[in-house]
Amino acid sequence: MSKQEQIQVALGQRKADLVLKNARVIDVFTGEIRLAEVAIQGGRIAAVGCGYCGAQEADLQGRYLAPGFVNAHCHVESSMVTPPVYCMEELRWGVTTLITDPHEITNVLGGDGVRYMLAASQGLPVNYYVQLPSCVPATPFEHAGAVLTAEKMAEFLEEPRVLGLGEMMNYPGVVGCDEQVLAKLRLFEGRVIDGHAPAISGAGLQAYVGAGICTDHESTSFAEAREKLRAGMAVLVREGSASKNLRELLSGVIQERLDTRRLAFCTDDKHLADIRREGTVRHCLRLAVDLGMPPVTAIQLATINAAQIFGLRGIGAVAPGYRADLVVLDDLEQFQVAAVYKDGICEVQSGAFCIARAFAELGSAAQSVHIAPLALDAFALPPRETYPVIRLVPGQIVTQRVDLTKAQVQEGLAEGSLRKIAVIERHHATGNIGVGLLAGYGLTHGAVATTVAHDSHNLIVVGDNDADLYAAVNELVRVQGGYTLVKDGEVLGSLPLPVAGLMSNQPPEQFLPALEQMLALAHRMGVAQDIDPFITLSFLALPVIPELRLTDMGMFDVTSFQFVS
């Protein structure tokens, strides 16, 4: 839209491309709701007022008109589908802007992973922004597919959709003035740097924020969130599939009547089935209003707050000059989405997409599982007098360490209370393999394997016999990543995730039933009903969550922060 066109439409001297009439406009600047018309020209809002004419006109019949929602921090890969599939599901529920951190795929493919996500999201009806992953690999206690240094990050600085630096998980590196960490912080000085600071407080928090960290999405208590707000951080209120912090944080905010300008909504990790059922930011809005937050305040968290935190000009408001990214709502309690406009084009009507779109090709991300030939004794337990065992804690991703004697291990394997677990380096075919023991998983017979294993995403497999362990590994090599279930040498089912071993490019109508079938089959194989068979495995190789983990380098005690000797 030229300046001349904008001025002429606003003055009523020419017709707009589109006029939305009889709208109850949510004004995120004043907190008001007012009846008005919205004139749209060239994909942007030319005017909000009355008496406008358009080449096209739509009567909203008194429905609410809000800015498009902003998901302030998410990992697309955690949905297990590619950006085109993920974005369309977000769009269905009113999200028109995403702040993404491609941390998972970058741990597999390095800078090529970032480039893949940018290419796969190009041209979609969603504003797709990237925070460049800051910690690849996440720890030195496992082998990832790449190392992303400050020098390698520099080539992305001119990419217009790269906003800043992704969540800085290396808190010890920040406060310890690690030169590699400081180089990354210096590289993104003046840009938004996301934080990852669970339970950090006091002088440590002051130093962390002073180093340039701008946001945090890890607060689990109101007191923690308030301290971070007082330190100048923006607090991203997280409500995902596993981490649900919204009620705790916003209950305190509402009770204490805190200023909400530095709060925004995010999901971090949310599964596709949950997004399909309830949305992301829309679900946050429902919960916030249910807690007693005024609807317009909640919408500010969902729109203008996030836009201003990340410096996104022209996004997050229904006002002249802003992008015509708009959500039509039936109500301000359930936030039922009636329609979604992106750049002035109606993309969603009554939950259905108005424009058919093709999915992106797999490209170079389709070949990422490279495993060295396994020795005949690859899954043999190391000789020990006592063995450390990972015991699952029901309903949590933390584990417990239990030490058993050799006799107790043999008895547990025989009776089924223990299962072998292995993590195999799958990026460079190094042959690295860690073997250990798992309790509480419940698998009766066979093997379960996945290439989704946070954060380095090596191949992880659990089973009761070596033959099925071998067969499961070979199946994931064949399909180039995903989930698989094996029993007596037979592959009972596989869910290929060929994009970096993390994502499928199938549409939700195909992917979700296939996933549900795999989950049901795993439970029929005896996996405990109260755990997700694959997500549970995916966290067992993450050596930053207590107490005991297994990486391709061996058994790691998080409490002492060292490998079990």
Side-chain angles (χ1 to χ4, degrees):
M1 176 178 59
S2 70
K3 293 294 183 185
Q4 182 177 348
E5 287 177 339
Q6 178 184 14
I7 292 168
Q8 290 174 342
V9 170
L11 292 173
Q13 295 173 354
R14 67 179 292 166
K15 282 188 175 182
D17 290 338
L18 171 67
V19 176
L20 303 178
K21 293 181 173 288
N22 296 319
R24 296 184 185 274
V25 174
I26 308 293
D27 192 318
V28 295
F29 297 124
T30 66
E32 300 172 289
I33 301 175
R34 67 183 191 276
L35 192 64
E37 297 174 354
V38 178
I40 297 169
Q41 181 72 21
R44 290 188 177 267
I45 297 169
V48 180
C50 59
Y52 291 102
C53 297
Q56 294 184 9
E57 296 182 353
D59 188 350
L60 300 191
Q61 300 178 332
R63 292 186 176 89
Y64 298 94
L65 186 65
F69 303 147
V70 181
N71 190 339
H73 175 76
C74 64
H75 301 284
V76 172
E77 307 96 306
S78 294
S79 70
M80 294 192 297
V81 291
T82 53
V85 182
Y86 180 88
C87 288
M88 298 308 285
E89 288 303 302
E90 286 271 34
L91 188 69
R92 186 196 300 273
W93 291 107
V95 172
T96 56
T97 300
L98 296 171
I99 313 297
T100 72
D101 182 344
H103 172 85
E104 313 300 346
I105 194 171
T106 308
N107 265 283
V108 178
L109 300 175
D112 285 344
V114 178
R115 282 183 279 271
Y116 174 85
M117 299 300 273
L118 286 168
S121 59
Q122 184 71 41
L124 294 175
V126 169
N127 305 317
Y128 191 102
Y129 295 106
V130 164
Q131 292 286 95
L132 208 60
S134 65
C135 299
V136 177
T139 75
F141 310 117
E142 54 189 336
H143 290 98
V147 177
L148 198 62
T149 62
E151 290 76 15
K152 293 179 180 179
M153 290 178 174
E155 64 183 274
F156 292 99
L157 290 179
E158 300 305 315
E159 164 58 52
R161 290 192 288 148
V162 172
L163 297 180
L165 188 63
E167 55 184 299
M168 177 49 72
M169 295 182 289
N170 192 353
Y171 166 79
V174 174
V175 298
C177 296
D178 180 276
E179 185 50 42
Q180 293 185 8
V181 172
L182 294 183
K184 295 174 183 178
L185 297 179
R186 286 193 294 266
L187 186 66
F188 286 89
E189 196 167 1
R191 300 193 186 205
V192 177
I193 300 176
D194 284 329
H196 176 105
I200 303 301
S201 64
L205 178 63
Q206 299 294 308
Y208 188 70
V209 176
I213 314 297
C214 306
T215 77
D216 180 80
H217 58 275
E218 292 290 338
S219 294
T220 58
S221 71
F222 169 65
E224 181 180 355
R226 180 173 55 189
E227 184 178 2
K228 288 172 180 174
L229 287 169
R230 287 172 173 172
M233 295 186 106
V235 170
L236 309 182
V237 180
R238 177 173 58 187
E239 190 72 13
S241 289
S243 300
K244 301 177 183 292
N245 311 126
L246 184 148
R247 292 185 185 276
E248 170 66 23
L249 302 190
L250 292 192
S251 293
V253 168
I254 294 168
Q255 183 176 349
E256 298 293 329
R257 299 181 180 180
L258 291 191
D259 191 301
T260 59
R261 287 174 294 177
R262 298 286 288 168
L263 297 172
F265 292 126
C266 80
T267 53
D268 200 8
D269 300 305
K270 191 158 188 175
H271 307 145
L272 188 68
D274 294 336
I275 298 174
R276 168 59 68 96
R277 182 178 64 256
E278 63 193 15
T280 55
V281 176
R282 176 257 186 176
H283 181 58
C284 293
L285 287 165
R286 292 174 59 195
L287 295 178
V289 170
D290 187 58
L291 289 171
M293 178 172 281
V296 176
T297 302
I299 288 174
Q300 288 170 332
L301 266 69
T303 58
I304 194 64
N305 288 13
Q308 291 183 342
I309 289 167
F310 285 93
L312 301 176
R313 300 182 64 181
I315 289 175
V318 186
Y322 278 72
R323 297 181 75 153
D325 300 346
L326 304 165
V327 184
V328 181
L329 300 167
D330 286 332
D331 64 90
L332 297 183
E333 293 177 348
Q334 294 300 312
F335 293 91
Q336 190 62 39
V337 175
V340 182
Y341 289 82
K342 179 70 183 73
D343 294 323
I345 297 173
C346 188
E347 295 281 354
V348 178
Q349 191 81 41
S350 301
F353 296 114
C354 303
I355 302 173
R357 297 180 184 275
F359 296 114
E361 296 294 329
L362 294 184
S364 61
Q367 298 292 323
S368 65
V369 181
H370 309 287
I371 290 177
L374 295 175
L376 294 177
D377 61 348
F379 299 110
L381 292 169
R384 304 174 64 96
E385 292 303 315
T386 61
Y387 287 85
V389 176
I390 302 172
R391 174 177 286 173
L392 297 178
V393 178
Q396 300 187 47
I397 61 174
V398 298
T399 66
Q400 295 175 337
R401 173 175 176 170
V402 180
D403 289 279
L404 300 179
T405 65
K406 183 188 300 184
Q408 289 173 317
V409 167
Q410 292 173 344
E411 181 181 353
L413 289 171
E415 68 181 14
S417 61
L418 294 181
R419 291 293 174 243
K420 281 186 179 180
I421 182 172
V423 176
I424 305 167
E425 193 280 323
R426 61 104 166 175
H427 305 295
H428 305 293
T430 62
N432 268 39
I433 179 170
V435 180
L437 294 161
L438 178 66
Y441 189 68
L443 179 65
T444 304
H445 179 51
V448 181
T450 174
T451 52
V452 180
H454 302 287
D455 274 331
S456 290
H457 298 291
N458 287 306
L459 192 155
I460 187 166
V461 58
V462 61
D464 73 321
N465 67 93
D466 288 4
D468 283 343
L469 292 172
Y470 281 110
V473 172
N474 290 334
E475 171 66 3
L476 288 187
V477 173
R478 184 186 74 82
V479 300
Q480 280 299 292
Y483 294 169
T484 195
L485 301 166
V486 173
K487 184 177 179 181
D488 293 327
E490 178 186 357
V491 177
L492 301 184
S494 290
L495 179 65
L497 301 175
V499 182
L502 303 174
M503 294 175 284
S504 165
N505 69 336
Q506 290 183 327
E509 291 73 19
Q510 296 178 28
F511 176 76
L512 290 173
L515 174 60
E516 290 299 322
Q517 184 177 6
M518 289 291 290
L519 295 175
L521 182 56
H523 288 305
R524 288 201 295 272
M525 291 175 64
V527 177
Q529 292 291 327
D530 59 347
I531 66 173
D532 185 296
F534 300 101
I535 293 175
T536 298
L537 286 187
S538 74
F539 282 103
L540 293 182
L542 183 57
V544 293
I545 301 178
E547 293 181 339
L548 197 60
R549 303 284 146 167
L550 180 68
T551 78
D552 68 302
M553 296 170 66
M555 196 71 77
F556 188 79
D557 190 318
V558 181
T559 305
S560 62
F561 224 60
Q562 62 184 3
F563 286 101
V564 177
S565 60

